[in-house]
Amino acid sequence: MVRRITGFSKFSKEEKIDWLVKAFFNKQSITKETLIKYWNTDEKLQRLHDDFIENTISNFYLPYGVAPNFIIDGIDYTIPMVIEESSVVAAASLIGKFWSTRGGFKTEILGTTKIGQVHFIYEGDAVEIEAYFKDVKKDLLASTESITANMRKRGGGILDIELRSKTEELDHYYQLHVTFETKDSMGANFINSCLEEIASRFEKEGIHIVMSILSNYVPECLVRAEVSCKVEELIQGTSEIDPNEYARKFKTAIDIANVEPHRAVTHNKGIMNGIDAVVLATGNDFRAIESCAHAYAAKDGRYKSLTQCEVKDGVFRFWIEIPLALGTVGGLTALHPMAKLSLELLQNPSAEELMKIIAVAGLAQNFAALRALTTTGIQKGHMKMHLMNILNQLGATNEEKELTVAHFEKVPVTHSAVHEFYKTLK
Ligand code: MEV
């Protein structure tokens, strides 16, 4: 069987599928049927999705859920989330409601600056390259005027260009380090176009441009979100947990993440459960957000928690500081009907407002995880939410699902317990 092909991208969608199923699948007709079943019946909508990338052959669904009852700086939000992990939206909903009766979430934008770099090699005299840069800096800025015109009208543009010598780290390596304000757009295309123009104007004999590209590390595009309450308000209803003991344990969990990278990675993964879900729902670039968040978590030379906590004078404070480069105009936000819908649900936020909402989603998710981990353990809630996945894997009918859910109201959910109980139904 030949499993290589040339000219694949020129094939029609049907031809691509036919080649693929013949080359890689045993149950060819079932595979083809599955791929086609996931096409949208609205042809125009399907074409839109086909055109997002090359070689689209079908769609891949993820659940789109919402978490209501978030109060952020006094405004009510229902937060859209796209995620496959069973417990994430449930946890967000629970925590949104919890903090809505304790003053809600407070946020602050600490910066919005983005970064791009022209990386180049120069083997000549350091003083000469500095003098040349000083001479041409104005021209470099002027060269981008047609690209930046619209952005400048919106209050953005290029903030500065610096020449940075990196020759101590790598022989003859310099960069033009450019800072940008891109307002409500994520700005990747804008930044890259400016950089390529700057590079072409800067190049001359002796300067060898290596590459021009935005940096996804944006520590100065930073947002902070916080919750606080009296320690005794941390415990709900008739729980027997001592609030002071709980607050101490909660803080210790964060202290552990600050000194132990193995724990910090899982801790931050839980934060990203909330963040990525909203980033995806709003059509933003989750890979950029992920790579930046983790680089920021390691900014002090050790990978640490993105959240922090203080328990002082009877008050519990819990906060996150995280860089988030987001857009609410342009890119997929305008093209993907569900991304558009998410933004409308969020009351058409500016990029700064979306930074705040997404930071809150991360903080809430971490609060949910640490609350469960330091009290009941994570599996109780997690497996309860996972029960439906197990039942779907077993091919349970609606009636069997209802009976099983009722049974596991009082019994801990484990894979084997569900399998055993299911057998008794058969
Ligand atoms: C699971 O997706 C996320 C958690 O592991 C996060 C954490 O441990 O803090 C529950």
Side-chain angles (χ1 to χ4, degrees), residues 38-307:
Y38 279 87
W39 289 0
N40 200 295
T41 48
D42 177 340
E43 278 180 29
K44 204 167 148 217
L45 189 64
Q46 185 55 55
R47 218 169 307 124
L48 178 76
H49 286 264
D50 290 351
D51 290 344
F52 285 155
I53 60 167
E54 187 159 291
N55 296 342
T56 309
I57 54 166
S58 191
N59 306 303
F60 188 99
Y61 289 173
L62 284 177
Y64 181 95
V66 294
N69 298 318
F70 275 85
I71 302 179
I72 305 175
D73 301 321
I75 301 170
D76 287 309
Y77 289 97
T78 290
I79 300 183
M81 304 180 96
V82 170
I83 189 146
E84 86 300 346
E85 192 172 322
S86 337
S87 54
V88 171
V89 178
S93 303
L94 217 71
I95 301 308
K97 192 157 175 216
F98 177 88
W99 283 106
S100 71
T101 57
R102 289 160 179 79
F105 294 81
K106 308 277 185 311
T107 67
E108 190 187 348
I109 295 292
L110 302 174
T112 56
T113 306
K114 291 173 184 150
I115 292 162
Q117 295 168 321
V118 177
H119 305 270
F120 67 95
I121 297 295
Y122 176 72
E123 295 188 11
D125 186 57
V127 177
E128 268 175 35
I129 190 74
E130 273 163 34
Y132 171 66
F133 172 68
K134 250 192 204 152
D135 267 3
V136 296
K137 184 172 172 180
K138 263 207 185 110
D139 295 341
L140 297 180
L141 283 167
S143 74
T144 61
E145 269 176 8
S146 64
I147 307 172
T148 59
N150 277 336
M151 188 62 84
R152 280 185 283 121
K153 270 190 216 140
R154 292 195 270 134
I158 298 177
L159 304 178
D160 196 15
I161 310 180
E162 289 167 62
L163 171 70
R164 291 190 176 178
S165 168
K166 293 279 170 179
T167 51
E168 286 192 5
E169 283 104 322
L170 182 67
D171 285 349
H172 315 302
Y173 166 40
Y174 292 83
Q175 57 184 229
L176 296 179
H177 184 92
V178 190
T179 42
F180 295 86
E181 169 56 60
T182 63
K183 301 308 280 185
D184 287 335
S185 64
M186 198 263 191
N189 283 330
F190 168 74
I191 293 175
N192 289 335
S193 299
C194 288
L195 293 172
E196 287 186 6
E197 187 58 40
I198 290 169
S200 72
R201 295 298 171 105
F202 187 66
E203 196 163 22
K204 67 163 186 149
E205 215 183 308
I207 292 177
H208 305 286
I209 305 287
V210 179
M211 57 192 162
S212 309
I213 187 74
L214 92 169
S215 169
N216 287 120
Y217 186 49
V218 284
E220 277 154 26
C221 187
L222 195 64
V223 57
R224 177 191 167 90
E226 178 175 320
V227 283
S228 64
C229 69
K230 289 190 185 139
V231 168
E232 65 260 29
E233 289 169 359
L234 276 174
I235 299 300
Q236 277 174 309
T238 54
S239 167
E240 282 169 12
I241 299 168
D242 171 50
N244 286 298
E245 171 66 22
Y246 164 58
R248 252 195 313 274
K249 216 168 157 189
F250 192 102
K251 182 176 173 347
T252 305
I254 294 178
D255 293 344
I256 290 170
N258 277 328
V259 298
E260 168 51 58
H262 281 94
R263 173 56 204 152
V265 170
T266 317
H267 177 101
N268 288 343
K269 186 271 182 186
I271 294 171
M272 301 317 284
N273 277 344
I275 288 185
D276 284 346
V278 193
V279 169
L280 268 170
T282 55
N284 274 281
D285 180 344
F286 61 93
R287 289 86 56 210
I289 296 297
E290 278 283 340
S291 53
C292 181
H294 298 297
Y296 191 74
K299 69 181 187 313
D300 301 330
R302 171 193 281 167
Y303 188 90
K304 289 183 182 174
S305 167
L306 287 164
T307 53

Side-chain angles (χ1 to χ4, degrees), residues 386-399:
H386 193 54
L387 177 59
M388 215 36 85
N389 289 343
I390 303 174
L391 287 170
N392 281 331
Q393 268 166 16
L394 289 169
T397 62
N398 285 344
E399 195 193 346

